[in-house]
Amino acid sequence: MRFEGIKRLAMLGIMMTALSAAAATSHFSVVGDRFELDGKPYIIRSGEMHYARIPRAFWRERLQQARAMGLNTITTYVFWNLHEPEPGRFDFRDNLDLAAFIRTAQEAGLNVVLRPGPYVCAELDFGGFPAWLLRTPGLRVRSMDPRFLAASARYFKRVAQEVAPLLSSRGGPILMTQVENEYGSYGDDHDYMATIQEQLREAGFDTPLFTSDGPDPTLLDRGTLPGVTPVVNFNGGVDDVKEAFAQLAAFRQNVPRMAGEYWAGWFDHWGERRHQTSPKLAADAVDWMLEQGISFNLYMAHGGTSFGWQPGANSQGSTYQPDTTSYDYDAAIDEAGRPTPKFFAIRDAIARHLPPGERLPDVPKPASTIAIPRFSLDESVALVDSLPKPVASRLARNMEAYGQGYGFIVYRKRFADGAKGKLDLGAVRDYAHLLADGSTFAALDRRRNENTTEVDLKAGSTLDVVVENMGRVNFGPMLADERKGLVRSASLAGKPLLDWEVFSMPLADLSTLRFKRGAPARQGPTFWRGHFRSDAQGSTFLDTRALGKGHVWINGRHLGRYWRIGPQQSLFLPGPWLRQGENEIIILDLDGAAEAPNVQGLRDPVFSTPG
């Protein structure tokens, strides 16, 4: 470790000494190779839930279900990008009321493990970093870049203001706080990790701290800190669990053993198969860990939904893999809040290892779902007829360069003399619909590294390139430079394309759309609007199998993305977001359906196997 890192760790040691008196009387503490709660040995039986992925009206119900499954703790990330959508403008209201979620967990009989990042992964856009960080040329996240560290320190201080009274050091339910997240899978800078630890302490997080990494010795060496409890993340059966903890034991002795993430399910990518994990495999792993006195966190206990622009993406080499809207994760509690066979298998395993005197609560009545009869959307307006005021731009630049973080961006080029040849857009991030005079003639998909197409445009034609941000990579080295839109120079027949009109479409407010009855004259990306009645109470799944690719809003709330390639073929619509009586639905169908689309609400989700 470099000299500055050694000095920083020495300073942290002094800070820890100063905090020793408080630690001696702490509600929760790390004592040698075990956790203690109020001075007694404590096994953490945790499950992950993310408040921002669950409508607030469902928080209490979902947390009570987790308690009935046998959990005594809930773990949650804190999503920086949602809490600070613009620099210095914080939001902890409504569904982002972190403190209220933690208090609700406490009322349900659950403690809390907090994971504030600043990086969280979580299959979340940009790993939870706010997109505005990318507006600063050259800024590097997860590094000693002083511009990044100034932003992360401000963020930590603001989060601490929300949760300080709830920390275990003050008798609250927050037992531990995580330092960064799986940094060993990203970098090898102990100065950076020590700085994040220091920022957390300076913000007021005086609970025990921990790091979380894969069990590989290299990952542990890169991602952990001296004097901070390391926990390990993994999946698989009992043999895999044994191997993970054998690796942890070989790396560091005399620390509590904990699975920071035991992946009891997995997430899905568009165009790939749906992931499912055996209930027995997960329950057997939990059974073995409890038999050995090992703490754990089920990732996920309840996944919920990545509403709006939340989904992130992965990257395998040059292959881009966008995540689905559903974050069901094949979790023990499904996306609609219903216990699954995995729930009962894990509950039975936990019940076999309860401390004397503890009894599991009864399982709450499952959440109800409803069906909604099929209905049509009979009003429309073309996307190209709904554009905002443009910005003149010599070059077609990335989305962030125009101050935009999410949604769509449209690049328009007019050809007085026509155009013919190979159109090279450099790098499309992430999906582009190409329109000639308002009608689609080609589509380019980043998943397939598609950046070029042939064009033959007559004199006076207008070319529109409609680019969709499908989620920034949230894991691995590529996340550091995940700008969207057109990120390299565009050319036609080998010559640079200059002088564009650029339209930013974050689609945060659809109230300015001017709908007309019937279908638009041109076949391209189209907004459709319709109305339906709902007199029953309950959540539903909007059947999107009759649609192509696009997004859905219900009563102004952005449910998320659909895409016929699957595996997800329906969108979860939470009951509390439905109105009794008439409801408004707006669909942006990018494939430009020639006829009015129709949808229905189903009691259960639909998944398909991609062809």
Side-chain angles (χ1 to χ4, degrees):
M1 183 179 293
R2 294 189 294 275
F3 179 65
E4 286 300 317
I6 295 172
K7 285 203 306 181
R8 185 172 287 107
L9 288 176
M11 291 175 63
L12 285 171
I14 295 171
M15 291 171 62
M16 292 302 295
T17 301
L19 290 168
S20 61
T25 58
S26 177
H27 179 56
F28 179 82
S29 57
V30 177
V31 181
D33 62 356
R34 71 187 189 190
F35 299 121
E36 288 190 357
L37 184 66
D38 296 329
K40 297 178 181 179
Y42 188 69
I43 304 297
I44 296 174
R45 309 192 306 261
S46 179
E48 190 100 7
M49 285 191 192
H50 301 149
Y51 53 99
R53 283 177 160 137
I54 309 166
R56 182 167 179 161
F58 287 151
W59 285 354
R60 188 174 303 277
E61 174 187 301
R62 303 295 191 266
L63 291 163
Q64 289 172 340
Q65 289 170 321
R67 183 70 190 96
M69 188 165 66
L71 305 182
N72 59 21
T73 304
I74 283 293
T75 296
T76 186
Y77 284 123
V78 184
F79 293 169
W80 183 4
N81 58 343
L82 300 184
H83 287 298
E84 193 180 7
E86 291 294 331
R89 180 165 65 84
F90 288 94
D91 187 356
F92 287 89
R93 301 167 298 168
D94 304 325
N95 227 82
L96 298 178
D97 193 338
L98 173 62
F101 178 78
I102 294 169
R103 288 193 297 268
T104 305
Q106 185 179 29
E107 291 163 5
L110 295 158
N111 290 308
V112 173
V113 170
L114 200 65
R115 310 172 79 188
Y119 165 77
V120 298
C121 185
E123 289 68 61
L124 196 72
D125 181 87
F126 201 16
F129 290 127
W132 49 260
L133 288 169
L134 294 168
R135 297 177 197 167
T136 302
L139 184 148
R140 303 296 290 181
V141 299
R142 307 185 84 180
S143 79
M144 292 296 287
D145 187 321
R147 299 166 295 180
F148 170 72
L149 292 175
S152 65
R154 178 181 65 208
Y155 158 70
F156 282 140
K157 289 177 182 177
R158 185 62 183 84
V159 174
Q161 288 177 24
E162 294 291 315
V163 303
L166 300 168
L167 298 174
S168 58
S169 55
R170 305 175 198 190
I174 302 175
L175 305 181
M176 296 194 298
T177 306
Q178 183 174 308
V179 182
E180 239 268 355
N181 183 55
E182 294 186 326
Y183 181 75
S185 296
Y186 179 81
D188 187 15
D189 187 344
H190 288 92
D191 285 349
Y192 165 70
M193 284 294 291
T195 299
I196 295 301
Q197 179 186 8
E198 185 177 356
Q199 287 188 349
L200 285 165
R201 288 302 191 205
E202 289 179 348
F205 289 96
D206 54 2
T207 65
L209 301 177
F210 69 101
T211 58
S212 187
D213 287 282
D216 179 271
T218 300
L219 303 183
L220 287 168
D221 181 63
R222 288 156 47 118
T224 57
L225 288 164
V228 176
T229 300
V231 304
V232 286
N233 303 343
F234 54 87
N235 64 353
V238 171
D239 288 343
D240 300 290
V241 180
K242 291 178 179 179
E243 175 62 21
F245 285 106
Q247 289 179 301
L248 176 61
F251 174 76
R252 190 174 295 175
Q253 295 285 326
N254 198 37
V255 293
R257 294 179 296 170
M258 180 172 177
E261 294 182 11
Y262 172 69
W263 303 319
W266 201 246
F267 57 92
D268 294 328
H269 295 132
W270 289 112
E272 300 179 12
R273 68 178 179 87
R274 185 188 181 204
H275 291 91
Q276 292 182 288
T277 302
S278 158
K280 185 178 186 304
L281 181 140
D284 286 350
V286 168
D287 187 79
W288 187 86
M289 284 188 281
L290 289 176
E291 191 175 74
Q292 304 300 314
I294 295 174
S295 296
F296 64 84
N297 175 45
L298 299 175
Y299 194 99
M300 301 286 298
H302 170 55
T305 310
S306 297
F307 296 110
W309 309 111
Q310 287 188 41
N314 281 85
S315 176
Q316 294 290 335
S318 63
T319 301
Y320 174 73
Q321 300 170 293
D323 297 330
T324 60
T325 301
S326 172
Y327 202 63
D328 177 88
Y329 215 90
D330 191 35
I333 303 167
D334 77 3
E335 189 173 8
R338 299 170 295 190
T340 67
K342 190 178 294 182
F343 175 100
F344 293 103
I346 292 173
R347 173 181 161 93
D348 289 345
I350 292 173
R352 289 192 288 272
H353 301 280
L354 294 176
E358 182 177 352
R359 178 183 175 277
L360 295 185
D362 294 335
V363 178
K365 182 181 178 181
S368 62
T369 57
I370 62 172
I372 297 174
R374 188 173 293 277
F375 60 92
S376 294
L377 288 72
D378 53 7
E379 298 177 284
S380 72
V381 61
L383 181 144
V384 293
D385 293 331
S386 307
L387 299 176
K389 184 178 179 180
V391 173
S393 190
R394 180 69 169 164
L395 298 172
R397 303 170 68 199
N398 61 70
M399 178 182 284
E400 293 77 9
Y402 302 101
Q404 184 182 349
Y406 309 98
F408 291 76
I409 187 165
V410 180
Y411 303 87
R412 173 170 287 177
K413 175 69 180 172
R414 303 178 191 273
F415 295 95
D417 300 323
K420 185 174 182 178
K422 180 181 178 181
L423 174 65
D424 187 343
L425 295 177
V428 172
R429 295 189 180 173
D430 301 298
Y431 197 101
H433 286 77
L434 279 63
L435 285 65
D437 299 321
S439 295
T440 301
F441 68 88
L444 301 176
D445 186 347
R446 181 184 178 186
R447 296 178 311 129
R448 301 189 176 99
N449 294 309
E450 296 173 344
N451 302 302
T452 65
T453 190
E454 295 293 324
V455 300
D456 188 357
L457 305 176
K458 64 179 184 293
S461 290
T462 296
L463 170 69
D464 287 316
V465 181
V466 181
V467 184
E468 179 183 7
N469 171 357
M470 291 194 59
R472 294 177 179 84
V473 169
N474 55 259
F475 183 83
M478 285 190 64
L479 76 85
D481 190 27
E482 262 294 281
R483 290 170 175 84
K484 294 300 185 180
L486 299 184
V487 299
R488 295 179 192 158
S489 298
S491 64
L492 177 63
K495 297 180 180 179
L497 271 182
L498 304 174
D499 300 321
W500 297 80
E501 293 176 276
V502 181
F503 306 81
S504 292
M505 298 192 75
L507 301 184
D509 180 7
L510 305 186
S511 63
T512 60
L513 295 175
R514 297 294 177 255
F515 290 96
K516 296 181 180 179
R517 294 192 67 82
R522 295 169 295 192
Q523 191 167 350
T526 302
F527 292 98
W528 293 87
R529 183 171 69 179
H531 297 84
F532 64 95
R533 289 192 61 83
S534 175
D535 297 317
Q537 292 186 339
S539 302
T540 192
F541 290 88
L542 288 180
D543 185 356
T544 61
R545 286 175 290 185
L547 306 175
K549 184 180 194 298
H551 293 256
V552 175
W553 289 260
I554 298 287
N555 299 325
R557 292 184 182 267
H558 187 187
L559 298 189
R561 178 180 291 109
Y562 64 85
W563 199 356
R564 66 158 50 102
I565 65 174
Q568 181 180 350
Q569 297 285 349
S570 57
L571 280 170
F572 180 60
L573 170 52
W577 294 2
L578 282 170
R579 298 171 183 155
Q580 290 294 300
E582 187 171 270
N583 293 267
E584 179 190 68
I585 178 172
I586 295 176
I587 291 178
L588 170 56
D589 192 84
L590 297 163
D591 291 345
E595 299 180 356
N598 61 81
V599 293
Q600 63 181 328
L602 305 174
R603 295 182 183 277
D604 296 296
V606 179
F607 294 95
S608 67
T609 301

